[in-house]
Amino acid sequence: MSSVLPPSAFLPDGPIDLKPIGRSRIHTGPISLRSPKAHLVSSSLLAPKTVDSFFSHKIQSWNSSTAFNRVLSLPRLKVSSENAQFNSLPEDEQVPHGQQPNFAEFITSERVKVVAMLALALALCNADRVVMSVAIVPLSLANGWSRSFAGIVQSAFLWGYLVSPIAGGVLVDNYGGKVVMAWGVALWSLATFLTPWAAETSLWALLAVRALLGIAEGVALPSMNNMVARWFPQTERSRAVGIAMAGFQFGSAIGLTLSPILMSKGGIFGPFVIFGLSGFLWVLVWLSATSSTPGRSPQISKYELEYILNKRKKAFDVDTIKPSGSKVKVTPPFRRLLSKLPTWSLLVANGMHSWGFFVFLSWMPIYFNSVYRVDLRHAAWFSAVPWVLMAIMNYVAGLWSDMMIQSGISVTLTRNIMQSIGFVGPGLCLIGLVKAKIPSIASAWLTLAFGLKSFSHFGFLVNIQEIAPQYSGVIHGLALTAGTLAAIIGTVGTGFFVDLIGSFQGFLLLTSLLYFLSALFYILFSTGDRVNFDEPVP
């Protein structure tokens, strides 16, 4: 006997009077209709492609059949190849829309594994940066560098970082975050690993390797944003960014804390070798254990995949993203992007964020060493503590941001509140830092400034995905370029300012004022709604 039944086996012999299948008042789950002859069908032999081809062939010969035309008037049914049954519910009702996964389901999901790998990448990214912030002290003593020249050496990273974000953003929009992130980590790990050789060779070789580090790291944040937008619905993106950026801040703490210890054990260049090799290991795990989109992941569960696709905004649906390696490339409309004030609010916010970030990153060990006479190892420790709090506050602030949106507060208001806390708070704390007389009080003010600064990640950083998801990579690249210019001015300017004026405190007060002005600009011109960048510029 054939294991595959003809379509007539599923239809009655006489006239039929069928009505749409609804829900029972008692039974609240999906209503399923099984064929009365389903026990004769071997579901293991009835492959989905067999069913599709068989029915397609027979339907062509039945298109004039009265009975068949009456069947076509039924609500559309879905064939499940997993349970060999007909399901009367539309596909988008298979996962409860209002039900949020609990903490255990969220933290063990495939999407959290992806963002955890992103957090590790960003931790390595920042650790590779801050090693030079610690190594610059013995290098300056050994080579007789002034503070202004030391600032130029540290800014070499930023000159490379200035080049790549826009190009990296375009690559991310066209090829996806997974591939671009892998190349970025591989290149910056190579640059870190080669730093000892470059420093022993010549000053120009050292500057070139540091610039290569900046070029490679310029793609990290656009890649992170791209992967988060692909893997997380809007109601979870703040938490996802919080986890990723927590890794970014822990990288600073790890680099600042471990670098003096590794230097005391393996020489000045020990940390560069360790962190460089760690990056190569990360690339191998990333390529083998993650996928560019949820739909391509072999490990993701059916429930999680349907949850992501159902809850995520259609504006950035997985089906609209160009597959990796697609030959269709989109030229970013730079003029239209820069014609909108919401774009400029992001550029100003990221510029101020980077100004404060790199001034703290590059100069705080030297600040504690020169102002409070703290030795290098303790100076690194005082500078590392704020990054730990910032990492913790990243997740707390992200969770709070998601809860505000879920409770009905508008996205625009939520982003403005987060950005205000993230800029006004550090501005006030810097004033307290200037007034501090002892290193412990100064460290407390600095720590509080960093904790509040983390809130800005859920203002401008998440906002990039919202105003133009199709151009999020290139807008992030533009914002990073603006931030890099500000960081170069801040990093180099600090050294010259201190040499000319003789005061770190004056530069910190200037930074505080810039924080207040940037917060005001963002509040006035930002939006949480999608911006139409397709309309022509007059």
Side-chain angles (χ1 to χ4, degrees):
M1 178 183 294
S2 174
S3 61
V4 179
L5 295 175
S8 59
F10 294 87
L11 299 175
D13 296 330
I16 56 175
D17 184 17
L18 298 176
K19 296 180 180 180
I21 301 298
R23 293 179 183 265
S24 169
R25 292 185 179 180
I26 299 176
H27 181 68
T28 60
I31 302 297
S32 300
L33 293 179
R34 295 184 180 272
S35 165
K37 302 181 182 180
H39 65 282
L40 299 177
V41 181
S42 173
S43 60
S44 62
L45 296 176
L46 191 56
K49 292 183 178 179
T50 304
V51 175
D52 292 342
S53 59
F54 183 88
F55 275 80
S56 176
H57 174 73
K58 288 298 182 182
I59 286 172
Q60 294 176 4
S61 61
W62 295 352
N63 53 12
S64 60
S65 170
T66 303
F68 182 72
N69 288 333
R70 298 186 68 179
V71 171
L72 289 179
S73 65
L74 286 168
R76 188 175 60 184
L77 304 179
K78 172 190 168 187
V79 178
S80 171
S81 61
E82 293 189 1
N83 52 18
Q85 69 180 21
F86 288 99
N87 196 320
S88 63
L89 288 178
E91 183 176 357
D92 60 356
E93 292 183 17
Q94 297 305 305
V95 179
H97 287 280
Q99 180 180 352
Q100 294 291 330
N102 59 40
F103 179 76
E105 292 172 337
F106 176 76
I107 208 67
T108 57
S109 63
E110 186 68 18
R111 61 191 183 278
V112 169
K113 184 183 81 173
V114 171
V115 83
M117 287 296 297
L118 291 170
L120 286 176
L122 295 182
L124 288 170
C125 176
N126 234 13
D128 290 350
R129 293 182 190 181
V130 303
V131 173
M132 184 57 73
S133 300
V134 180
I136 196 67
V137 177
L139 285 174
S140 297
L141 293 174
N143 295 280
W145 297 339
S146 65
R147 284 177 181 169
S148 57
F149 191 80
I152 293 175
V153 172
Q154 294 200 80
S155 70
F157 164 84
L158 295 170
W159 292 108
Y161 201 71
L162 181 65
V163 175
S164 61
I166 295 179
V170 174
L171 290 174
V172 164
D173 286 340
N174 283 291
Y175 295 102
K178 179 183 175 179
V179 174
V180 178
M181 181 67 94
W183 277 104
V185 177
L187 287 176
W188 85 55
S189 298
L190 178 63
T192 302
F193 186 78
L194 291 178
T195 300
W197 166 83
E200 295 290 342
T201 301
S202 69
L203 176 61
W204 288 109
L206 176 61
L207 295 177
V209 168
R210 293 296 295 176
L212 175 61
L213 177 70
I215 292 173
E217 290 196 357
V219 305
L221 292 179
S223 298
M224 180 274 292
N225 237 338
N226 179 272
M227 291 295 287
V228 167
R230 290 182 172 205
W231 275 88
F232 288 84
Q234 187 181 45
T235 54
E236 293 180 353
R237 285 182 189 169
S238 291
R239 269 172 288 179
V241 171
I243 294 172
M245 296 306 294
F248 196 66
Q249 315 312 334
F250 270 124
S252 298
I254 292 169
L256 290 169
T257 305
L258 291 183
S259 292
I261 299 174
L262 295 174
M263 287 179 184
S264 65
K265 302 295 184 181
I268 296 177
F269 301 118
F272 295 95
V273 175
I274 297 298
F275 293 143
L277 292 176
S278 299
F280 295 137
L281 177 62
W282 180 93
V283 172
L284 294 177
V285 177
W286 173 255
L287 292 176
S288 61
T290 62
S291 300
S292 58
T293 64
R296 297 178 182 176
S297 174
Q299 292 91 9
I300 194 170
S301 67
K302 178 183 177 182
Y303 172 82
E304 183 181 0
L305 178 60
E306 292 179 343
Y307 170 79
I308 293 172
L309 298 182
N310 286 333
K311 299 293 288 184
R312 188 171 52 193
K313 276 193 170 181
K314 294 182 179 179
F316 205 71
D317 194 4
V318 67
D319 294 331
T320 66
I321 302 174
K322 293 179 294 296
S324 178
S326 172
K327 295 183 179 180
V328 179
K329 304 295 185 290
V330 178
T331 301
F334 288 106
R335 188 177 175 213
R336 293 199 296 271
L337 293 175
L338 294 174
S339 69
K340 306 291 186 180
L341 283 173
T343 302
W344 284 99
S345 72
L346 296 175
L347 301 187
V348 170
N350 196 70
M352 188 61 236
H353 181 78
S354 296
W355 174 291
F357 177 84
F358 281 99
V359 166
F360 293 156
L361 189 70
S362 302
W363 289 103
M364 282 303 99
I366 299 177
Y367 177 79
F368 277 94
N369 179 260
S370 61
V371 174
Y372 299 107
R373 306 303 176 190
V374 178
D375 65 58
L376 177 60
R377 183 174 300 184
H378 289 96
W381 169 252
F382 275 112
S383 302
V385 170
W387 298 101
V388 175
L389 179 64
M390 192 175 187
I392 296 172
M393 290 302 295
N394 260 302
Y395 184 78
V396 174
L399 182 61
W400 184 25
S401 176
D402 283 343
M403 291 173 62
M404 290 173 67
I405 294 175
Q406 291 169 8
S407 67
I409 298 177
S410 70
V411 176
T412 300
L413 180 58
T414 299
R415 301 303 173 223
N416 286 341
I417 292 173
M418 294 291 114
Q419 194 64 50
S420 298
I421 297 173
F423 275 7
V424 176
L428 294 173
C429 290
L430 286 180
I431 298 175
L433 174 62
V434 168
K435 301 296 183 181
K437 301 299 182 183
I438 59 176
S440 59
I441 298 299
S443 180
W445 279 113
L446 186 63
T447 300
L448 180 59
F450 272 59
L452 295 175
K453 182 178 170 63
S454 64
F455 281 76
S456 66
H457 294 150
F458 313 102
F460 80 92
L461 188 57
V462 181
N463 196 205
I464 292 173
Q465 305 167 9
E466 294 164 340
I467 68 168
Q470 75 276 34
Y471 300 123
S472 64
V474 69
I475 291 180
H476 204 156
L478 289 169
L480 285 176
T481 300
T484 303
L485 288 172
I488 291 173
I489 296 172
T491 302
V492 177
T494 301
F496 281 100
F497 189 96
V498 173
D499 279 348
L500 294 174
I501 308 299
S503 171
F504 268 111
Q505 288 86 346
F507 197 83
L508 293 178
L509 290 176
L510 173 62
T511 300
S512 176
L513 175 62
L514 293 176
Y515 266 127
F516 298 146
L517 295 177
S518 300
L520 179 62
F521 189 90
Y522 184 87
I523 291 172
L524 291 176
F525 300 114
S526 66
T527 179
D529 300 324
R530 184 169 180 179
V531 178
N532 183 11
F533 289 108
D534 295 325
E535 61 183 8
V537 178

